Amino acid sequence: MKFFSFPAEYKRIVYHLILNCSLLLFAAVVMLYAFYQFPSASTLNYVIIAIPMAGSAVRSVYYAVKLKKMRTAQSSASEL
């Protein structure tokens, strides 16, 4: 089944999942860069970067679980 034939809700969840994972990856790269470039920086600076990372990770897990539930419901409906 092609991606464009899926319902709009499914496409929106996949889009948000990809967006949140890319935000998480970007924040991790920024944190690693800051850690190695500025080793004497205070912990507060890393906490400021870690807050969006934590939010992005939680949203990514939420969308992944929602996507899994949607796929499970779709497969059980197709069996009937």
Side-chain angles (χ1 to χ4, degrees):
M1 187 176 239
K2 292 182 180 178
F3 178 73
F4 293 108
S5 63
F6 281 107
E9 178 74 12
Y10 184 84
K11 288 190 272 188
R12 186 183 65 81
I13 291 172
V14 170
Y15 171 74
H16 283 293
L17 184 61
I18 291 170
L19 189 66
N20 283 314
C21 287
S22 61
L23 177 64
L24 179 65
L25 181 65
F26 178 73
V29 168
V30 168
M31 183 177 270
L32 284 173
Y33 176 78
F35 180 75
Y36 286 111
Q37 289 295 325
F38 310 107
S40 61
S42 68
T43 306
L44 180 64
N45 294 336
Y46 299 121
V47 170
I48 290 172
I49 298 171
I51 290 171
M53 284 179 68
S56 179
V58 167
R59 283 190 307 269
S60 295
V61 168
Y62 169 75
Y63 283 121
V65 168
K66 195 171 179 180
L67 188 64
K68 181 72 174 169
K69 284 182 182 178
M70 185 178 279
R71 280 189 151 177
T72 306
Q74 184 182 17
S75 67
S76 65
S78 66
E79 290 177 358
L80 296 175

